[in-house]
Amino acid sequence: MKPAPFTYHDPTSADEVVALLGRHEDAKLLAGGQSLMPMLNMRFVVPDHVIDLNGVAGLAGVRDAGDALELGAMTRQRDLMADAAIAAKAPIVPEALDWVGHFQTRNRGTIGGSLCHLDPAAELPCLMAAYDAVLKVQGPDGVREVPFAEWPLAYMMPSLGPDEVLTGIRVPHWPDSHGHGFVEFARRHGDFAIVSVAALLTVEGGKIARAAIAIGGADVRPIRLEAAEAALVGAAPSPDAFRAAGETARGIEAMSDAYVTSAYRQRLAATLVERALIRAAERANGGA
Amino acid sequence: MVVRYLGAEVQRMEDPRLLTGHGRYVDDMTMEGMLHAAFLRASHAHAKIRAIDTSRAAQLPGVHRVFTHADLGPKYGHRMNQLYPAPVIEVNKTQYPLSKDEVCYVGEAVAVVVADSRAIAEDAVALIDVDYEVLPAVVNIMNALEDGAPLAHADTSSNLMGRMRSQFGDIDDAFAKADHVFQAAFMQHRGGCHSMETRGCIGRDDPWGDGLTLWTSAQSPYLIRRALATWLGEPEERVRVVAPDVGGGFGPKAGFYPEEIVIPLLARFMERPVKWIEDRREHFMSTTTQRDQHWNLEVACTSEGKILGLRGKVTHENGAYIPYGILLPNSSLTPLPGAYAIPAVDVGVDIVFTNTVPNSPVRGAGRPCGIYAVERMIQTVSRNLGIDPAEVRRRNYVRPEQMPYETGATLRGGAKCVYDSGDYEALLEKALELADYAGFKERQAAARAEGRYLGIGVSSCIEDTGMGPYEGTTVRVEASGKVAVRTGAASQGQGHHTMIAMIVAENLGVSPEDILFESADTGKFPHGVGTIGSRVAANVGPSAFDAATKVREKALRLAAEVLEASEADLDIEDGVVRVNGAPDLSITLGELAIKLSPASAMRVPAGFDPLLEATSYDGSSGSPIACGSNVAEVEVDVGTGEVRVLRYSVAHDCGVMINPMIVHGQIVGGVVHGIGNALFERMIYDDQGQPLTTNYGEYLLPLASEMPRVDVTHMETPSPLNSLGVKGAGEGGTIPAAAAVVAAIENALTEFGVEIDYYPVDPQYLTGLIDRGAAQAAE
Amino acid sequence: MADTREVTVTVNGESRTATVETRTSLGDFLRHTLRLTGTHMGCEHGVCGACTVLVDGDAVRSCLMLAVQANGREITTVEGLAAAVGTLSPLQAAFWKHHGLQCGFCTPGMLTSLTAFLRDNPNAGEKDIREAISGNICRCTGYQGIVDAALDAAKSMQEG
Amino acid sequence: MQLENSFTVPATPDTAWPILLDVPRIAPCMPGAELTEAVDGRHFKGNAKLRVGPVALTFSGEAEIVEIDEVARTATVRAKGSDTKGRGGASAAVEFRLVADGEGSRVDITTELDLSGSIAQYGRAAGLIDAIAGQIIGDFAKNLAAEIGTGGAPTAAGGSDAAASATPAPAAPADNAISGISLFFRALWSMIRGLFGGKR
């Protein structure tokens, strides 16, 4: 199980990456390698060129831009988990990352790699869906911004042109009083999620003021439960409200695979949406 | 003071080497001029091969040669041997080392590339073009015997490989006089090998020197030597098979594989050593697994829950070829009365071919299935009669005063199955105490008040261990005073070195550190059987004990002459023979060895032969029957269907324990393997016979994060069948585990009326049962 | 023509340089080029953890990193965990004492992973340790001896 | 596995049938497909490029028209192909039928598809084939309708409608390959080639 031969490139700037992508037709970008390397080893992916992003300057890091967190695409998952600004502003991120692989893979794996690989079961795309994150993509004509809702085009296929590279992600702030809950069901620790749910809530004066619910793993892309979000706004955070929100998840589009059916994913989604909302409400200030 | 090693928790002799990265596994070896091989494997479950074009592959730089069946030539053009011929095999199908004209499972070796590196060999494999005519494949055992089912082999008329039956007692009478007859049908699925080291081998042929040598990651080097020499038509003396450090075996490495013919042949053709290391995808597709078995049983019992008889039918998946005779179905039937005095049994097995990888034993072989079946029927009786499952067991155990108890079943090789010793009820009580079975109802009620569902399950097992006929040992004191110990038994992590060193050291009066241990090399020990069926301690143990005893006796006899003392006054301690009461009179074992065979070749003392050495093939005079009771406590999340094993308790009896630390490790490891079978491990094929589960993200091995702490307590009822009183321990953890876990899940979900008819119990399946139960309750 | 690079790494304190094909994994480079065969390849797709090594102190899968990516880095393999030849690190000694290994194949990855984990989490309890090694598969031990060894090593390292 | 799909084209069966059988007109409707050789009236060779997520495949293969019924307007095609980088293959038996549907026509397709090799051995993607088939047929029908010139609306039928709506066609990347489980695409494309062959 050895990769097929390729030509290796180790550019040092994003411009150079874009230029290399322009020159080479069948090229793959290598970020943390925790998804691409297995596919190379198994020869599922057989590119002529591998362009390593690990030496590219300026792609890693976390910055609080006031109204949002700016994450470099090559920021390692381990560093996201340990970052103080993320812990303060978006504590759901480290909570979700605990479900991402294992500490050894998080030492290499990057947020950008995960968002570009776009495995339906991956946790980070689910989080970015909840946040309506904005992705910064650099191509030959400069940088464009893609709202997360427009990022997944199809199964494991991001809105990324053959000569484009993801450079950063902008995660808008929620008020400090917000509550969060990330719950997931996987067979074993670190496994692909069968279903995961990210929930964010703000509560003002005993009523839910804002809600975001994203479901990962169920379909080929993360799903936002917009109807349930709308129904929650203005309601008191209550077990009944959360159960009702969960019930709406029974109607989501869900896929079947060799292991579980879409019906089971829908059932799980209902359970997990309810649990994520309960957890988020417990953590939201301004309830009572 | 005589140092006692037997029964002590001696730290393993193997470990410092393995802990510092100095093990020697097959892939760690390299040789001058060595080439690397990669196989092209069948991509169809069933197809005729019309043509194979290797020309593009052969032209790739770095490729030395590409071989197909035809390229091996007529001398090597025959099918593999049937290792275990048996009369019940009606259709004897073994495979060609490289497929000739028909492939019968995905993963069957079709061609092989020899190249400068493994990577290049894989590059070339991708360039081989095979023209297949795809044939219908049979995958599901439940319809494999139906009229019109696709045939696994094009030239056969049925998928029935053969039929077996275990039959004893008066079954008609048992059912006629029963107060109740209950029925249950269930599917059992056991996964694959998944040793962390895959298979792999290196072949080297030196016709003018050492002959043909095969280093292979295997459990049974002597079986491979015999099979390889027989297949080649060459003398065994010219074939040497070595199992170096082996990274786990668990059954599937006990057989003889096509690669173990092809790789040495390539070495012969290329006149250079050739290495092949199975990669993990190959392991999923071409290493034998255990897979599906369907049981449909009826139990006859009295109103008090006393079981009178058991009858029914089993359908057993064989896979595409027969690499291992009928060992697996046979070992599924032989444990059938379980730990219970069931007077009548009549259960038959249909063994069916499918277009999947050939099946072989996996840890426990058929025993986990047979025991699961018996334990399921105990649960069925308990449920239907409303008697506590532990109590049903108490009312049916074989009692100590019945020992030796002849069940009526027949073991492999035709011997009667006789339970030699043990107190099954006492073991159960110990397990229940360890698990705080009495306090469970309170725990369950407290959890239920919080909306949590706890359950408890019990299972008991017996295990026929230590099958013969022998596994010999040679013990030789050398001039340095160190003691060379050699045996045929290969270790895959069981700690044979330590166990045997302890036995020899104690008996010979040396330290275990003085033992120079070598094993599993057919060039260094003349014959052996293999490491299967929890047999090594019960066979090598006695032979090591006996050989050491003989060496000790010889040393004492010679020392008595040299020291002019009575043998009765001599003792050996720390390698020195001393005269009791005369501390100045002594001679070391090394000095005695020199006296027997002096380097300057004077003379051997009269009445002695030259070496301070003995060989023994003493073993067990039958199969010692180990036994155990397990209790699993689980929590089920009814929202997701997730099952967590919270607590797991084992009371086990494997006779006298040589090294309790090693026994403990075997039991705990075995339990986790069994929990994996019960909850996680599932090898899925689609209806065309494509394996869908070919990586460790999808094939779920048990991980530390989901596994419980396993509490183990022991009884030591000596086996009367060997000199040490030992019984095997390697599989005793695995065998009863699935039954305990499944019973616990059902117990947790009593209010939903959940009855499980399939394992591994996955959450989707379980939520289906929960939802159905909830709907029925609502009506 | 194969794409090759010269790679220099410091392995277990010693600088080593070799030319490799760029497609070569760090694991294969260590094992077959540098002949440090203590690191084992169990699945080559990043799940089993047997191939874990420390790169600049971080535990990573050596099957999921190219050798060329390790250029200029400091690598510790199982051969380099003990302070001196013929000795054992506290963790290795605890594995020995608690029967934390049987066949020994997963052991190098367990040891490297836990060496890094216990360094960063000296107060880890059983649950933490079980989660930490959830990316390391052992088929033999049932993990109990490994967990006991890690708990004991953590204790002895804290006691200094 | 068996897949059932349908789509409509805004032309009567009399008009649509010969168009469907016109190779040069139809080939571009299937993105990534390239006809390399018409061996004879019933045998064809070609390549197809496509992407399944990160996996970019190039299939090389051949198709044979087994049966054409000009009266009933049905055809059966057998096709097989394999990835040029050794990752597996596919074979398909495709039956299709052209029937009148209101003002236009409906094409009903029954595909018996067998995948093999590593591309077939990924359990987590096993359920996507139906979904992707729907997407592919939707794209193909859209292109075909445009080719026929009247811009009719395609419908996806069978079990794939939900998935098709959940996976709209790629927009941003100008990739010559389409996303989807490769071999279904391959099968469908072979079917089209079979139709072409029937015409000749």
Side-chain angles (χ1 to χ4, degrees):
Chain A
M1 224 160 81
K2 314 297 177 194
F6 51 73
T7 303
Y8 174 82
H9 306 270
D10 48 355
T12 55
S13 72
D15 289 344
E16 209 182 325
V17 173
V18 172
L20 281 167
L21 286 169
R23 275 206 299 280
H24 300 296
E25 194 182 319
D26 185 12
K28 283 298 290 182
L29 296 176
L30 174 60
Q34 305 303 289
S35 297
L36 179 59
M37 283 293 297
M39 301 191 91
L40 288 173
N41 289 351
M42 296 199 212
R43 297 189 181 220
F44 285 148
V45 176
V46 187
D48 293 334
H49 299 270
V50 168
I51 301 171
D52 188 352
L53 299 176
N54 286 276
V56 176
L59 285 189
V62 177
R63 194 173 71 87
D64 189 342
D67 60 344
L69 291 165
E70 301 272 3
L71 313 178
M74 283 297 289
T75 311
R76 310 254 178 223
Q77 292 156 3
R78 179 257 321 259
D79 295 328
L80 296 174
M81 275 181 100
D83 189 87
I86 291 177
K89 288 293 178 185
I92 196 173
V93 172
E95 179 166 277
L97 280 165
D98 200 36
W99 292 89
V100 178
H102 306 281
F103 85 95
Q104 301 97 325
T105 62
R106 294 192 296 262
N107 279 339
R108 295 286 300 166
T110 65
I111 181 169
S114 176
L115 295 179
C116 291
H117 186 64
L118 212 58
D119 191 298
E123 290 81 2
L124 287 167
C126 177
L127 276 190
M128 295 304 109
Y131 271 104
D132 290 319
V134 175
L135 293 89
K136 290 184 189 168
V137 169
Q138 186 173 334
D141 304 326
V143 176
R144 66 184 175 99
E145 296 200 341
V146 186
F148 187 83
E150 294 169 20
W151 178 247
L153 297 176
Y155 175 63
M156 296 179 83
M157 188 129 153
S159 172
L160 190 70
D163 50 3
E164 290 183 320
V165 58
L166 176 68
T167 56
I169 303 100
R170 186 178 158 83
V171 181
H173 284 336
W174 275 55
D176 286 349
S177 62
H178 84 278
H180 68 278
F182 186 90
V183 296
E184 171 168 324
F185 184 63
R187 292 299 312 277
R188 304 170 306 174
H189 190 82
D191 276 349
F192 294 113
I194 299 176
V195 172
S196 63
V197 176
L200 301 170
L201 281 183
T202 59
V203 180
E204 289 167 14
K207 299 267 192 264
I208 295 169
R210 189 177 164 199
I213 306 166
I215 302 172
D219 199 5
V220 294
R221 74 185 69 201
I223 295 167
R224 275 289 289 271
L225 216 51
E226 284 163 2
E229 293 169 7
L232 284 172
V233 171
S238 70
D240 285 347
F242 297 146
R243 174 156 305 162
E247 284 304 312
T248 65
R250 286 188 194 271
I252 59 170
E253 298 294 348
M255 53 188 178
S256 296
D257 58 29
Y259 308 102
V260 295
T261 61
S262 58
Y264 176 66
R265 284 198 161 95
Q266 289 163 334
R267 186 193 194 280
L268 262 186
T271 299
L272 299 185
V273 164
E274 182 185 347
R275 290 180 184 179
L277 286 168
I278 291 169
R279 188 177 292 183
E282 283 167 2
R283 289 160 164 174
N285 294 325
Chain B
M1 186 196 76
V2 176
V3 183
R4 295 290 303 183
Y5 294 111
L6 293 186
E9 301 211 324
V10 175
Q11 287 181 227
R12 299 201 317 169
M13 327 300 296
E14 295 85 339
D15 289 358
R17 197 165 58 78
L18 300 176
L19 283 164
T20 53
H22 296 100
R24 174 73 67 90
Y25 304 84
V26 172
D27 193 32
D28 299 345
M29 301 167 70
T30 188
M31 289 173 202
E32 185 71 31
M34 189 169 77
L35 298 172
H36 299 266
F39 285 85
L40 173 74
R41 296 185 181 277
S43 54
H44 296 283
H46 195 192
K48 288 278 183 194
I49 299 173
R50 288 205 198 99
I52 305 176
D53 181 354
T54 59
S55 58
R56 286 196 303 147
Q59 283 159 17
L60 192 74
V63 170
H64 289 251
R65 253 180 99 177
V66 185
F67 292 85
T68 64
H69 171 85
D71 298 315
L72 297 180
K75 188 179 171 194
Y76 305 117
H78 48 287
R79 286 183 187 269
M80 292 176 66
N81 346 19
Q82 175 54 261
L83 299 183
Y84 297 95
V88 304
I89 299 176
E90 291 172 22
V91 180
N92 187 12
K93 281 287 182 194
T94 59
Q95 66 190 96
Y96 291 97
L98 295 174
S99 311
K100 187 181 178 190
D101 50 10
E102 182 182 1
V103 297
C104 294
Y105 65 94
V106 172
E108 188 171 329
V110 172
V112 60
V113 175
V114 186
D116 285 333
S117 74
R118 171 62 180 238
I120 294 170
E122 290 185 23
D123 296 342
V125 164
L127 300 175
I128 300 172
D129 299 309
V130 184
D131 184 7
Y132 290 110
E133 177 192 342
V134 179
L135 301 174
V138 59
V139 182
N140 184 347
I141 55 168
M142 298 314 288
N143 56 28
L145 296 181
E146 287 172 4
D147 287 345
L151 293 168
H153 296 272
D155 62 349
T156 57
S157 57
S158 157
N159 292 316
L160 185 70
M161 181 270 247
R163 287 203 159 100
M164 300 184 66
R165 195 165 176 182
S166 180
Q167 201 178 9
F168 55 83
D170 189 338
I171 196 74
D172 292 336
D173 182 57
F175 276 81
K177 68 186 186 202
D179 298 325
H180 301 278
V181 173
F182 302 117
Q183 181 265 345
F186 42 88
M187 183 73 94
Q188 306 195 48
H189 175 97
R190 299 196 69 223
C193 173
H194 305 293
S195 51
M196 285 298 98
E197 184 205 23
T198 55
R199 295 187 295 122
C201 55
I202 299 173
R204 187 182 70 191
D205 192 26
D206 181 4
W208 311 109
D210 297 338
L212 194 64
T213 306
L214 177 68
W215 290 266
T216 183
S217 180
Q219 293 169 236
S220 308
Y222 293 85
L223 175 132
I224 293 169
R225 178 183 63 174
R226 169 73 53 83
L228 180 56
T230 305
W231 190 88
L232 290 167
E234 293 170 17
E236 285 187 32
E237 199 57 27
R238 298 295 293 157
V239 176
R240 177 180 161 211
V241 178
V242 186
D245 281 329
V246 174
F250 310 109
K253 284 187 186 172
F256 177 52
Y257 282 89
E259 296 88 353
E260 287 165 331
I261 290 177
V262 173
I263 296 301
L265 273 185
L266 297 184
R268 174 169 289 180
F269 286 128
M270 304 309 298
E271 300 183 3
R272 291 167 72 168
V274 175
K275 177 193 272 189
W276 164 75
I277 301 298
E278 181 186 63
D279 68 35
R280 195 50 76 175
R281 277 181 57 80
E282 290 182 289
H283 187 83
F284 274 103
M285 291 189 287
S286 65
T287 290
T288 58
T289 64
Q290 193 162 330
R291 300 208 349 106
D292 287 348
Q293 214 176 55
H294 184 266
W295 290 68
N296 191 349
L297 289 183
E298 284 182 312
V299 59
C301 64
T302 68
S303 296
E304 290 72 44
K306 177 79 187 155
I307 296 175
L308 305 174
L310 203 57
R311 69 182 176 200
K313 192 177 151 194
V314 182
T315 308
H316 172 82
E317 178 166 16
N318 179 84
Y321 296 102
I322 313 170
Y324 222 99
I326 52 163
L327 193 145
L328 199 44
N330 190 48
S331 63
S332 303
L333 288 186
T334 50
L336 262 198
Y340 312 104
I342 300 176
V345 166
D346 183 1
V347 178
V349 186
D350 286 350
I351 310 166
V352 301
F353 285 114
T354 53
N355 291 112
T356 62
V357 71
N359 287 15
S360 83
V362 172
R363 199 168 194 165
R367 298 175 192 89
C369 301
I371 290 297
Y372 182 87
V374 173
E375 295 298 305
R376 279 276 85 195
M377 299 322 283
I378 295 277
Q379 289 299 125
T380 302
V381 169
S382 161
R383 180 206 313 273
N384 283 288
L385 297 182
I387 305 173
D388 183 276
E391 182 56 28
V392 176
R393 288 178 170 84
R394 285 189 197 102
R395 293 179 189 178
N396 285 286
Y397 283 130
V398 175
R399 316 208 59 81
E401 61 271 20
Q402 291 175 280
M403 301 290 177
Y405 176 83
E406 191 177 315
T407 66
T410 306
L411 294 174
R412 176 182 169 196
K416 296 228 167 287
C417 182
V418 180
Y419 295 177
D420 56 339
S421 63
D423 186 339
Y424 302 163
E425 184 174 342
L427 263 182
L428 173 76
E429 303 306 342
K430 278 180 85 100
L432 295 179
E433 189 188 335
L434 192 61
D436 187 20
Y437 190 77
F440 174 71
K441 283 211 154 46
E442 207 171 299
R443 294 198 291 283
Q444 188 179 37
R448 191 66 194 84
E450 298 169 7
R452 297 163 57 220
Y453 293 79
L454 301 195
I456 200 161
V458 178
S459 80
S460 296
C461 77
I462 50 87
E463 180 195 1
D464 60 298
T465 72
M467 79 178 84
Y470 59 81
E471 199 69 68
T473 307
T474 294
V475 174
R476 185 181 71 249
V477 178
E478 59 151 78
S480 67
K482 297 286 184 190
V483 182
V485 176
R486 289 181 175 185
T487 175
S491 175
Q492 305 86 47
Q494 298 91 339
H496 296 166
H497 177 166
T498 306
M499 185 258 296
I500 296 164
M502 287 168 67
I503 292 168
V504 172
E506 172 153 328
N507 223 21
L508 203 50
V510 299
S511 159
E513 282 78 34
D514 291 329
I515 307 293
L516 305 171
F517 180 77
E518 284 194 272
S519 68
D521 182 342
T522 68
K524 294 190 174 174
F525 190 80
H527 205 69
V529 179
T531 303
I532 53 171
S534 304
R535 66 180 297 278
V536 171
N539 285 285
V540 184
S543 71
F545 183 82
D546 186 43
T549 302
K550 286 173 175 157
V551 171
R552 177 190 179 87
E553 286 167 355
K554 191 170 181 179
L556 290 178
R557 191 155 60 87
L558 180 61
E561 284 189 15
V562 174
L563 300 175
E564 297 177 346
S566 158
E567 271 185 60
D569 293 333
L570 298 181
D571 220 336
I572 312 177
E573 195 183 323
D574 210 14
V576 183
V577 185
R578 291 181 201 281
V579 183
N580 290 330
D584 294 345
L585 278 178
S586 71
I587 185 165
T588 67
L589 288 175
E591 287 165 342
L592 287 171
I594 292 169
K595 285 205 179 297
L596 281 179
S597 55
S600 52
M602 260 88 74
R603 65 180 183 87
V604 174
F608 287 88
D609 51 21
L611 295 176
L612 191 45
E613 176 185 284
T615 295
S616 171
Y617 287 90
D618 189 25
S620 288
S621 60
S623 280
I625 307 291
C627 49
S629 271
N630 290 9
V631 182
E633 189 168 324
V634 305
E635 176 171 355
V636 182
D637 180 343
V638 299
T640 61
E642 182 182 33
V643 176
R644 284 202 82 95
V645 182
L646 303 176
R647 186 167 173 173
Y648 199 98
S649 310
V650 177
H652 193 253
D653 187 346
C654 58
V656 173
M657 290 190 283
I658 297 165
N659 185 331
M661 181 187 79
I662 290 177
V663 172
H664 186 269
Q666 288 295 313
I667 297 299
V668 174
V671 164
V672 164
H673 195 137
I675 295 175
N677 287 151
L679 297 178
F680 291 105
E681 296 183 37
R682 191 167 163 220
M683 181 70 205
I684 301 179
Y685 286 83
D686 73 8
D687 56 7
Q688 305 300 314
Q690 292 291 333
L692 296 179
T693 311
T694 59
N695 64 66
Y696 281 148
E698 297 181 72
Y699 185 90
L700 308 178
L701 286 166
L703 300 179
S705 42
E706 281 69 41
M707 289 302 112
R709 182 159 279 276
V710 179
D711 299 316
V712 186
T713 184
H714 295 281
M715 288 179 73
E716 292 189 77
T717 312
S719 172
L721 302 178
N722 60 61
S723 55
L724 297 174
V726 302
K727 306 178 177 188
E731 296 159 315
T734 306
I735 291 169
V741 171
V742 168
I745 297 168
E746 288 184 344
N747 180 250
L749 300 173
T750 307
E751 68 185 75
F752 298 99
V754 163
E755 288 182 39
I756 289 165
D757 63 1
Y758 176 86
Y759 73 84
V761 181
D762 64 79
Q764 170 176 282
Y765 166 75
L766 205 52
T767 53
L769 296 180
I770 291 168
D771 290 349
R772 201 167 65 197
Q776 279 167 0
E779 275 171 18
Chain C
M1 195 56 218
D3 186 41
T4 59
R5 290 274 181 109
E6 189 179 89
V7 173
T8 298
V9 291
T10 303
V11 187
N12 303 329
E14 190 187 336
S15 178
R16 305 281 299 267
T17 300
T19 299
V20 288
E21 265 200 88
T22 53
R23 62 164 150 170
T24 308
S25 72
L26 175 59
D28 279 348
F29 175 68
L30 291 168
R31 287 180 50 76
H32 301 302
T33 309
L34 303 186
R35 295 294 301 150
L36 289 163
T37 54
T39 299
H40 296 155
M41 311 306 280
C43 74
E44 294 183 278
H45 56 272
V47 187
C48 82
C51 70
T52 306
V53 300
L54 306 183
V55 177
D56 294 339
D58 294 333
V60 303
R61 313 290 207 211
S62 68
C63 73
L64 298 189
M65 194 168 161
L66 297 170
V68 60
Q69 293 183 295
N71 191 33
R73 308 288 205 96
E74 197 157 310
I75 292 162
T76 306
T77 67
V78 67
E79 289 96 334
L81 292 180
V85 174
T87 66
L88 298 177
S89 76
L91 183 66
Q92 287 169 320
F95 264 63
W96 194 15
K97 181 177 161 198
H98 291 277
H99 195 25
L101 65 156
Q102 291 182 21
C103 80
F105 200 81
C106 74
T107 311
M110 289 285 183
L111 288 169
T112 48
S113 295
L114 282 168
T115 295
F117 181 77
L118 294 177
R119 177 197 65 208
D120 297 342
N121 302 274
N123 299 313
E126 171 155 358
K127 186 168 181 292
D128 308 314
I129 287 165
R130 284 184 179 270
E131 276 188 23
I133 57 168
S134 66
N136 295 78
I137 302 175
C138 172
R139 187 58 148 168
C140 298
T141 64
Y143 303 104
Q144 199 152 308
I146 296 168
V147 172
D148 290 343
L151 285 167
D152 193 11
K155 202 166 129 227
S156 68
M157 286 188 281
Q158 274 185 309
E159 286 162 1
Chain D
M1 80 201 64
Q2 189 167 314
L3 302 169
E4 306 259 357
N5 298 92
S6 291
F7 61 88
T8 56
V9 288
T12 64
D14 284 346
T15 315
W17 180 248
I19 294 174
L20 277 170
L21 303 181
D22 186 345
V23 179
R25 270 186 85 173
I26 297 303
C29 292
M30 198 61 96
E34 183 195 5
L35 188 67
T36 57
E37 187 185 349
V39 181
D40 58 35
R42 293 212 166 204
H43 294 84
F44 303 89
K45 292 184 178 176
N47 299 316
K49 278 187 180 180
L50 69 152
R51 253 175 71 177
V52 186
V55 181
L57 298 156
T58 302
F59 281 85
S60 169
E62 55 194 38
E64 180 192 359
I65 303 154
V66 184
E67 200 184 315
I68 294 181
D69 185 335
E70 293 277 358
V71 179
R73 293 204 178 98
T74 63
T76 304
V77 177
R78 286 183 196 281
K80 66 175 186 176
S82 55
D83 172 52
T84 54
K85 288 180 173 175
R87 285 166 290 182
S91 63
V94 189
E95 268 182 42
F96 68 96
R97 176 181 300 268
L98 184 68
V99 295
D101 183 79
E103 302 275 289
S105 311
R106 192 179 76 245
V107 184
D108 295 330
I109 308 161
T110 304
T111 307
E112 190 63 47
L113 175 66
D114 292 333
L115 310 182
S116 62
S118 63
I119 50 169
Q121 292 155 4
Y122 190 46
R124 290 185 59 228
L128 288 168
I129 291 171
D130 259 3
I132 287 160
Q135 179 187 333
I136 291 165
I137 289 181
D139 291 352
F140 173 69
K142 216 179 288 175
N143 294 338
L144 192 63
E147 178 61 31
I148 288 170
T150 48
T155 61
S160 58
D161 50 344
S165 65
T167 50
D175 199 329
N176 188 36
I178 64 165
S179 169
I181 287 281
S182 51
L183 301 203
F184 184 83
F185 170 81
R186 166 93 190 116
L188 199 71
W189 172 72
S190 303
M191 177 194 71
I192 300 304
R193 282 183 295 150
L195 283 170
F196 294 146
K199 173 75 173 177
R200 291 172 187 178

